[in-house]
Amino acid sequence: MVSSSMNVLLLLIVLTINLATVTVARSGGLSWEVLSEQEADRVVRLPGQPPVSFKQYAGYVTVNQTHGRALFYWFFEAMEKPEKKPLLLWLNGGPGCSSIGYGEAEELGPFFPQKGQPELKFNNYTWNRVANLLFVESPVGVGFSYTNTSSDIKQLGDSITAKDSYIFLVNWFKRFPQYKSHDFYISGESYAGHYVPQLSEYIFDSNKNVSKEDYINLKGFMVGNALLDDETDQTGMIDYAWDHAVISDRVYKDVKSKCNFSEENPSDDCNNALNEYFAVYDIIDMYSLYTATCVDSNFSSTRQLRPIIQGIAPQLFSKINGWHKRPTGYDPCASDYTEVYMNRPDVQEALHANVTNIPYPWTHCSDNITFWGDAPASILPIIKKLIAGGLRVWVYSGDTDGRIPVTSTRLTLNKLGLNTTEEWSPWYTKHKQVGGWTIMYDGLMFVTVRGAGHEVPSFKPWKALQLISHFLANKKLPSAPF
């Protein structure tokens, strides 16, 4: 009897080992530990989610064990052949704004919340058509990302954001090692004009010294309507407002004569002039000059001012209340629908989010971040360095954005001093319409997107998908109707 029991036990052990071997083989050689970690983060179905065939994962990655700092991510496999598609990380800016709230839920992710409906809308122009798509809420204190050391919030800045994001990536690849060999790209908008190049530089420098296990296969980055240089960003904003009939000749001349955008601290006269300039954007949307503002009396978050964050770029404008308006999108109330959805307990449970019971509601932009430790006045030296290092660099600009307008970006790129290799020319959409304009510099491509505001994928989703497709494939946009 004992012998028979032992034989059964041995048989079960052999079968288990064989099953494990088969499972590991079928999963590309991933260990049981890795598979179990991935399965723990698997999002089986979100409340109100339409059926999809691709997999999605969400959860936390610890970036500082001692302080209890963890960043929240949401990852979508590519819709088709994810094993052959690149990996793209998307970052929103702020600083202090959520890449999930804006990027995933209102711009380029698969699922969009809707007004007054429990169902999510599928985004036909989702970027996981062309890439494996990763969103992370960074730095800690943003969205669901958290720290157990409250003093961390007072020490935030560009440098720690880049470092934590890098540690996040190294640890995320340990959880998803099947993507380590994929070409890796980073994209983002607005203050991600700081985040994206700085993280790219951190990876670029670290790759020279790390082990093969921690090497990240970074190939390039793309930023849109991006804060890149204080002087030209601010100058371009004023020029754009005047040129687009937003401000009067008098306000324009007052700002030009009383403000020095190379200086950090504005004079009283400059403050007064800037307050007149920003007052116009109380009645129209700075982020999209020609679309409506949210007038739904039930929602107001898109019209609130964020608290002034001391120390962020641009140093002069950041001290003015008007600079801290919350962004809005094509549907000017879309952010309100997202906040309702992301604060639902069943949604948070499905996303494995808010596991520490954060003592404040999820918001697009953190109200807890009021100090920023470091923010260089210009990111151009980093961009020059990474171009010289062989990374692919594209910059794009929605041309109806007043926040970081095309005027600012053109002045900034001229300041880079790169040689022009292909002159200003139109690019075309599949509808045989001019999608915008391109100019190719030595090592950098600049693209404008006609009719798009600050958040290009929200306003012109089909153009944005065409843009990211060509960037990832390293192909020029069509220069003639097709």
Side-chain angles (χ1 to χ4, degrees):
M1 188 69 177
V2 173
S3 177
S4 177
S5 299
M6 287 294 294
N7 288 337
V8 171
L9 180 60
L10 287 171
L11 179 60
L12 287 172
I13 291 172
V14 171
L15 288 173
T16 301
I17 292 172
N18 288 338
L19 180 61
T21 303
V22 171
T23 303
V24 170
R26 287 179 177 174
S27 61
L30 301 182
S31 69
W32 274 106
E33 182 181 5
V34 166
L35 287 170
S36 62
E37 285 182 346
Q38 291 184 13
E39 192 57 33
D41 284 359
R42 176 85 181 274
V43 179
V44 179
R45 186 76 177 269
L46 286 165
Q49 177 198 306
V52 293
S53 58
F54 55 84
K55 293 180 181 179
Q56 56 177 320
Y57 302 83
Y60 287 95
V61 172
T62 299
V63 295
N64 187 306
Q65 194 78 43
T66 305
H67 284 220
R69 286 207 304 270
L71 298 183
F72 181 78
Y73 80 90
W74 195 352
F75 171 61
F76 302 90
E77 289 190 345
M79 292 178 66
E80 295 180 358
K81 299 180 179 178
E83 70 281 358
K84 296 183 178 180
K85 295 285 198 309
L87 174 64
L88 176 68
L89 169 67
W90 173 267
L91 298 172
N92 279 88
C97 294
S98 168
S99 304
I100 285 170
Y102 289 115
E104 192 292 313
E106 296 165 27
E107 298 188 66
L108 55 114
F111 306 127
F112 290 179
Q114 301 177 85
K115 179 181 180 180
Q117 297 184 36
E119 291 83 17
L120 292 170
K121 177 183 178 182
F122 181 75
N123 173 23
N124 287 319
Y125 302 100
T126 173
W127 284 15
N128 74 323
R129 288 189 179 276
V130 294
N132 297 286
L133 194 53
L134 176 62
F135 300 91
V136 59
E137 293 188 307
S138 175
V140 292
V142 175
F144 293 124
S145 295
Y146 68 88
T147 176
N148 292 330
T149 307
S150 58
S151 60
D152 284 350
I153 303 298
K154 299 296 183 183
Q155 297 173 2
L156 294 175
D158 284 12
S159 297
I160 195 169
T161 300
K163 181 180 179 181
D164 277 1
S165 295
Y166 174 75
I167 295 170
F168 165 85
L169 285 171
V170 169
N171 291 336
W172 188 88
F173 277 118
K174 290 176 180 176
R175 192 172 303 178
F176 292 88
Q178 65 265 44
Y179 291 100
K180 273 195 63 61
S181 62
H182 290 225
D183 288 349
F184 178 63
Y185 299 90
I186 312 175
S187 187
E189 68 195 8
S190 196
Y191 201 84
H194 279 225
Y195 289 168
V196 171
Q198 288 167 337
L199 176 56
S200 298
E201 181 186 37
Y202 205 108
I203 296 170
F204 181 81
D205 290 343
S206 299
N207 274 348
K208 297 174 183 176
N209 302 308
V210 297
S211 64
K212 183 179 179 182
E213 181 185 353
D214 290 338
Y215 185 90
I216 296 174
N217 195 22
L218 178 66
K219 296 297 183 180
F221 65 88
M222 180 172 75
V223 289
N225 293 85
L227 196 75
L228 295 171
D229 183 88
D230 279 12
E231 180 188 5
T232 48
D233 287 340
Q234 293 169 139
T235 299
M237 284 181 70
I238 304 301
D239 291 350
Y240 185 88
W242 180 81
D243 191 53
H244 286 72
V246 172
I247 57 174
S248 68
D249 291 358
R250 180 187 60 79
V251 171
Y252 177 72
K253 290 175 182 176
D254 282 350
V255 174
K256 284 289 193 176
S257 63
K258 296 173 181 177
C259 296
N260 182 344
F261 295 131
S262 297
E263 294 180 351
E264 179 177 332
N265 296 307
S267 65
D268 289 342
D269 286 343
C270 175
N271 267 328
N272 292 334
L274 287 178
N275 282 329
E276 281 199 87
Y277 158 77
F278 278 112
V280 179
Y281 290 120
D282 288 337
I283 56 175
I284 64 172
D285 188 354
M286 178 191 287
Y287 294 80
S288 177
L289 260 59
Y290 306 115
T291 52
T293 57
C294 181
V295 294
D296 190 332
S297 60
N298 294 318
F299 295 116
S300 61
S301 69
T302 54
R303 298 189 297 279
Q304 292 173 355
L305 295 180
R306 297 182 59 214
I308 289 179
I309 304 175
Q310 298 295 333
I312 62 168
Q315 294 292 342
L316 189 152
F317 269 24
S318 67
K319 296 175 174 63
I320 308 297
N321 274 320
W323 179 255
H324 299 270
K325 286 180 65 175
R326 293 182 186 273
T328 58
Y330 179 71
D331 179 342
C333 303
S335 294
D336 298 297
Y337 318 149
T338 302
E339 290 204 7
V340 169
Y341 187 80
M342 298 303 290
N343 279 296
R344 286 173 49 177
D346 57 342
V347 171
Q348 294 180 5
E349 183 179 1
L351 288 172
H352 319 116
N354 198 14
V355 293
T356 58
N357 294 317
I358 299 169
Y360 48 81
W362 183 96
T363 59
H364 282 77
C365 299
S366 172
D367 293 329
N368 299 315
I369 299 174
T370 57
F371 175 78
W372 202 251
D374 62 285
S378 181
I379 302 297
L380 298 186
I382 296 177
I383 291 178
K384 281 186 176 181
K385 171 183 173 179
L386 296 179
I387 288 173
L391 292 186
R392 185 182 316 156
V393 180
W394 283 29
V395 177
Y396 67 90
S397 186
D399 64 10
T400 67
D401 175 29
R403 180 61 176 268
I404 310 196
V406 63
T407 317
S408 296
T409 304
R410 293 177 78 176
L411 290 172
T412 298
L413 295 181
N414 286 337
K415 198 173 181 178
L416 264 177
L418 301 173
N419 293 324
T420 301
T421 57
E422 288 191 21
E423 260 298 347
W424 192 259
S425 59
W427 65 271
Y428 287 82
T429 69
K430 64 180 181 180
H431 309 298
K432 303 185 185 300
Q433 299 295 315
V434 174
W437 308 86
T438 66
I439 182 168
M440 185 181 291
Y441 299 100
D442 187 11
L444 184 147
M445 173 74 81
F446 176 54
V447 182
T448 73
V449 183
R450 282 183 68 212
H454 189 66
E455 298 152 310
V456 168
S458 291
F459 296 96
K460 300 294 178 183
W462 64 96
K463 292 181 182 178
L465 182 59
Q466 184 176 350
L467 175 66
I468 190 63
S469 300
H470 283 72
F471 166 72
L472 293 174
N474 198 22
K475 292 181 179 178
K476 291 186 291 185
L477 289 154
S479 56
F482 60 97

